[in-house]
Amino acid sequence: MKKGSLACVGTGMMLGAHIGPRARSHIEQADVVFVAVSDALVELWVQGMNHDVRSLQPYYAEGKPRSDTYREMVAAMMEEVRAGRRVCGAFYGHPGVFAVVPHRAVAQARDEGYEAVMEAAVSAEDCLYADLGIDPGTFGCQHYEASQFMFYKRRIDPSAYLILWQIGVAGDRTLARFETGAQFRNLLIELLAEQGCPSDHEVIAYEAATLPIAKPRIERMLLSALPGVRLELSTTLVIPPFRSLERNHAMLNRLASLQASGA
């Protein structure tokens, strides 16, 4: 194994509340820490754990394709790994959930023969279940990135929750925008209507709280109102089931027969 290593960790969603001991240890023991978090206060907090903390935020720019930003972030981290240093990438939420850079960096480091790990963390999905009182085991959940949901032919289950991530940039094909407008959202509503979701169905715009003094955004509205609502990069659209569960009587009968036979 070559000298030099990479650990990509998550700080969780809320400042100081969600970080695990393994993630903290990686940050504290690293030679250099690259940080991409949700709030300047969170970045300052990470800086208090290590003497060499470098922000990845300057790589973002209006009109700059995010694909270029991600490539540059990975390159910056790998440069330090190749120099033989213990590198930690600290990312808000879970480093493997809607996070391109950690996955690419870990894969590249391993391909080049360096030790690389990813530590699990509290994600926005975890907060969503707690804040909205949703148990994914009750009706089931379908999760899609909003633009991917629009770009590809998907068949949704109307009796389960539909969770659309990054709804604020739904339909963006450039990877250079930080928001898309009402016309894009109208196309999404049309797409949902094709699969039976009525425009008067109640949906939820959700954003996890990132500071202890803040509250999560839980804004309920009719689906038809979505084009006029403020949406951020961090906004998730939650669409509750719009059709009841349908029992599979044929399967239930077969299962009953197996049970009766002692199988």
Side-chain angles (χ1 to χ4, degrees):
M1 189 69 67
K2 295 180 180 179
K3 185 179 180 181
S5 63
L6 173 66
C8 287
V9 305
T11 62
M13 297 304 297
M14 184 179 291
L15 171 63
H18 294 159
I19 191 168
R22 289 173 64 92
R24 181 183 290 274
S25 177
H26 280 299
I27 293 173
E28 292 174 342
Q29 296 179 20
D31 295 317
V32 56
V33 178
F34 290 90
V35 60
V37 290
S38 58
D39 189 279
L41 289 176
V42 180
E43 189 168 304
L44 287 172
W45 171 65
V46 175
Q47 289 175 2
M49 298 185 222
N50 192 287
H51 68 283
D52 189 354
V53 176
R54 308 176 191 181
S55 177
L56 291 172
Q57 293 301 326
Y59 289 97
Y60 288 104
E62 186 71 41
K64 178 181 179 181
R66 287 189 291 280
S67 54
D68 292 346
T69 295
Y70 300 154
R71 183 173 59 253
E72 292 170 359
M73 288 179 175
V74 172
M77 297 170 69
M78 286 304 303
E79 181 178 359
E80 296 297 330
V81 172
R82 297 186 189 108
R85 308 187 78 187
R86 290 176 299 176
V87 178
C88 178
F91 300 86
Y92 76 93
H94 190 302
V97 178
F98 290 92
V100 173
V101 173
H103 280 294
R104 290 185 180 175
V106 167
Q108 186 167 334
R110 289 174 177 171
D111 286 344
E112 295 184 19
Y114 297 99
E115 180 182 359
V117 297
M118 180 182 289
E119 296 289 349
V122 175
S123 70
E125 178 184 352
D126 303 308
C127 296
L128 183 152
Y129 293 143
D131 292 333
L132 300 184
I134 294 173
D135 183 345
T138 302
F139 298 110
C141 286
Q142 307 152 95
H143 294 263
Y144 299 103
E145 196 277 333
S147 292
Q148 186 195 75
F149 179 76
M150 297 174 74
F151 296 163
Y152 297 91
K153 295 180 179 180
R154 300 282 195 174
R155 296 303 303 173
I156 62 175
D157 180 352
S159 63
Y161 281 92
L162 175 61
I163 315 293
L164 296 178
W165 298 89
Q166 298 179 333
I167 191 67
V169 289
D172 176 33
R173 300 181 64 189
T174 68
L175 293 179
R177 302 177 65 165
F178 290 99
E179 63 177 343
T180 51
Q183 292 178 314
F184 290 81
R185 300 173 202 172
N186 281 326
L187 289 178
L188 174 61
I189 292 172
E190 289 182 19
L191 181 61
L192 291 168
E194 291 173 4
Q195 300 204 39
C197 184
S199 61
D200 61 353
H201 187 58
E202 184 179 83
V203 300
I204 306 165
Y206 172 78
E207 296 167 15
T210 58
L211 298 174
I213 59 173
K215 293 183 178 181
R217 177 187 180 187
I218 303 174
E219 185 174 351
R220 302 178 187 274
M221 71 197 79
L222 299 183
L223 178 61
S224 59
L226 186 66
V229 173
R230 174 186 61 83
L231 299 176
E232 307 290 346
L233 274 172
S234 60
T235 308
T236 300
L237 184 67
V238 180
I239 304 176
F242 50 90
R243 194 173 300 167
S244 299
L245 288 168
E246 184 177 350
R247 295 177 71 85
N248 186 337
H249 292 289
M251 178 58 68
L252 288 170
N253 290 335
R254 294 176 65 184
L255 292 168
S257 296
L258 282 176
Q259 185 173 350
S261 67

